[in-house]
Amino acid sequence: HEKGKSARLEGDEGEDSDTKDVKRLAAIPNILRRKGKYQSLMNEEPDETADSSDMSSEHSDIKTDNSVQLNIQPLEVTRLRVSSLEIERKERLRKGLWIGLTFLTHSLWGIYPVLVRNLSVVHKVPTLSLMAAANLINVPVMLLATGGSIQYKELVSKTMLYLEAIIVLRSVSNILAPHFTLAIWCQLITLSTPFLVALFSSAILKETLPPFTIPSMVLSSIGGFLMLFYHFEESSQAEQGWSSQDLLGMSLAAFSSVCLALYMIMVKRTASKKTTSATTVLFAQLLALLVYSLVISVAIGEDWSVYLHMSGATWSVFLMFAVGVLLLGNVGQTFAIREIGAPVVSSVLPFRMVAALVAGYFLLGEQLKHWTQFLGAVVCLLSLTAYLTIQIFHKKR
């Protein structure tokens, strides 16, 4: 062995370093095969310590660490690929769960006008008292759940007071609108909010108007006109058609949408400064709604004694409105935006009208009467969905 080794070394003296390295690497499989380890290294994970020590003891002129790395590398690449696929699978599952939560929160907000109309018209519960009573539950819950993270000094800041004023106007008009007109009409007008946000952002913030805004607005308006051309059939108001109350309710819904668009623009500007947490903003909204709705309700003399005589069914609808929509709907939407982004969350907005149609049919007896209304609903939903989806891909570019 020593003679062969010295002969190889003498023969290598006239060769360059690259040729020597090639010969040494080529000799590795023969050396491993003689020791009975070549096949095991090819089929299973080797013991790097044992192999390296054995090889270095008998063949000190060969860099055995490099040889082991050459055989182990494919195994490590395979492990990395498996790990990467597992991470991607978990990420897809996480996003899928948050998208499911987004559908749930939009469904809750979709049935909002249905629940309000059911409580105020069918069960005769004073409208503004609904907002006050609901937030009498939600504000303490928010304090218990997130009291430590609320920035109390920000509640009276100038920006926050503006936000609170807008959200009060938005919420009061939004809760009054279903009292005067059908819930689905209120939800239909609410779907115009993304277009209003785009227009106001262009006018106020001097931002570029998103692509396809005008064509989508035209198509949605055509769909809305087809839906409103024939009135909905409601069990309690069948064949009454249009009335001044409908116009009042729809006007309140339109005003509420304008306030919501302005609110979203202000939140966008506030978020860019990163001075106020989302939890503080949400708590400020609930607290402001509690104070103002309670004051207005008492001032106009609403009868709160009705809550002492409500049936179990009425209480279940009220709790769905208070806890399900105002609390869980708000919290779920806030966390969904934080996890998967506002564009993805807003792309599910058209689903609100679907939820309103289904809930309105079962709770209020509201339904579409004519095929043109179904056509209008499809046109409205598809145009808005396409518009919001285009904005997602446009922002990714």
Side-chain angles (χ1 to χ4, degrees):
H1 176 73
E2 292 296 327
K3 289 180 180 180
K5 179 178 177 181
S6 61
R8 286 195 303 275
L9 293 174
E10 290 176 0
D12 289 344
E13 289 176 356
E15 296 177 344
D16 55 36
S17 60
D18 292 338
T19 305
K20 292 178 181 180
D21 289 339
V22 170
K23 284 187 175 182
R24 288 173 178 174
L25 291 174
I28 292 173
N30 294 328
I31 296 169
L32 292 174
R33 191 179 289 109
R34 284 199 302 268
K35 294 187 68 64
K37 297 179 179 289
Y38 179 74
Q39 192 64 31
S40 63
L41 279 171
M42 297 299 292
N43 295 331
E44 61 185 12
E45 184 177 355
D47 186 346
E48 295 183 34
T49 305
D51 290 344
S52 298
S53 61
D54 290 343
M55 291 169 60
S56 61
S57 62
E58 296 191 25
H59 307 281
S60 59
D61 60 320
I62 298 175
K63 296 179 180 180
T64 57
D65 289 341
N66 290 337
S67 69
V68 175
Q69 289 175 6
L70 289 173
N71 288 322
I72 291 177
Q73 188 175 3
L75 297 175
E76 295 297 331
V77 170
T78 302
R79 290 194 189 96
L80 289 173
R81 288 176 179 173
V82 173
S83 177
S84 177
L85 290 174
E86 183 68 16
I87 292 172
E88 290 179 1
R89 187 186 67 82
K90 290 182 178 180
E91 181 65 16
R92 287 195 298 269
L93 178 60
R94 186 188 71 84
K95 286 186 176 180
L97 291 174
W98 281 109
I99 291 175
L101 177 64
T102 301
F103 273 97
L104 177 60
T105 56
H106 278 297
S107 298
L108 291 172
W109 281 109
I111 66 174
Y112 173 90
V114 177
L115 298 177
V116 171
R117 186 165 177 81
N118 180 270
L119 289 168
S120 62
V121 175
V122 178
H123 298 289
K124 308 299 181 183
V125 181
T127 307
L128 289 176
S129 72
L130 288 172
M131 183 70 69
N135 286 300
L136 280 172
I137 298 174
N138 294 334
V139 169
V141 171
M142 278 288 294
L143 279 174
L144 291 174
T146 60
S149 60
I150 296 174
Q151 300 165 292
Y152 292 100
K153 292 183 179 180
E154 292 294 325
L155 296 179
V156 292
S157 65
K158 185 177 180 180
T159 302
M160 190 62 67
L161 290 176
Y162 282 136
L163 286 175
E164 291 170 1
I166 292 177
I167 201 63
V168 167
L169 292 174
R170 142 76 178 171
S171 299
V172 170
S173 57
N174 195 37
I175 200 171
L176 288 175
H179 182 77
F180 297 103
T181 190
L182 302 186
I184 186 61
W185 289 351
C186 298
Q187 196 57 255
L188 177 64
I189 295 174
T190 301
L191 295 183
S192 65
T193 303
F195 301 122
L196 295 175
V197 171
L199 294 175
F200 290 162
S201 296
S202 178
I204 299 174
L205 302 181
K206 306 302 179 183
E207 295 181 353
T208 303
L209 198 65
F212 300 102
T213 298
I214 302 301
S216 299
M217 286 181 63
V218 173
L219 287 174
S220 296
S221 300
I222 293 173
F225 175 78
L226 290 174
M227 291 184 67
L228 296 174
F229 186 73
Y230 288 92
H231 67 82
F232 288 88
E233 182 182 13
E234 186 179 8
S235 58
S236 60
Q237 296 180 354
E239 303 302 329
Q240 288 185 8
W242 289 92
S243 67
S244 58
Q245 282 199 342
D246 290 316
L247 295 176
L248 175 59
M250 294 179 67
S251 299
L252 287 169
F255 177 75
S256 176
S257 297
V258 170
C259 290
L260 179 59
L262 293 173
Y263 169 80
M264 293 176 71
I265 292 174
M266 289 195 66
V267 168
K268 185 177 181 180
R269 296 186 65 178
T270 303
S272 64
K273 299 178 181 179
K274 298 181 180 180
T275 57
T276 307
S277 65
T279 304
T280 303
V281 174
L282 179 57
F283 178 77
Q285 294 176 17
L286 297 178
L287 183 61
L289 291 175
L290 169 60
V291 173
Y292 284 101
S293 59
L294 183 60
V295 170
I296 297 173
S297 176
V298 173
I300 64 176
E302 288 187 336
D303 183 15
W304 282 63
S305 64
V306 67
Y307 290 92
L308 301 175
H309 310 290
M310 290 197 313
S311 64
T314 307
W315 272 109
S316 63
V317 176
F318 171 77
L319 291 175
M320 175 60 72
F321 164 76
V323 180
V325 178
L326 296 184
L327 182 60
L328 298 182
N330 268 320
V331 173
Q333 189 166 272
T334 301
F335 279 95
I337 290 173
R338 189 181 68 178
E339 292 293 329
I340 59 178
V344 178
V345 173
S346 64
S347 67
V348 191
L349 182 67
F351 193 73
R352 291 189 180 192
M353 192 167 71
V354 177
L357 280 169
V358 175
Y361 176 79
F362 287 103
L363 291 179
L364 299 172
E366 296 179 359
Q367 58 184 346
L368 301 175
K369 292 182 60 179
H370 199 267
W371 66 268
T372 56
Q373 292 181 314
F374 287 99
L375 176 62
V378 172
V379 170
C380 188
L381 288 173
L382 290 181
S383 60
L384 182 57
T385 302
Y387 170 74
L388 295 172
T389 304
I390 288 171
Q391 306 317 309
I392 295 176
F393 290 102
H394 178 70
K395 289 183 178 181
K396 285 182 177 181
R397 290 179 184 177

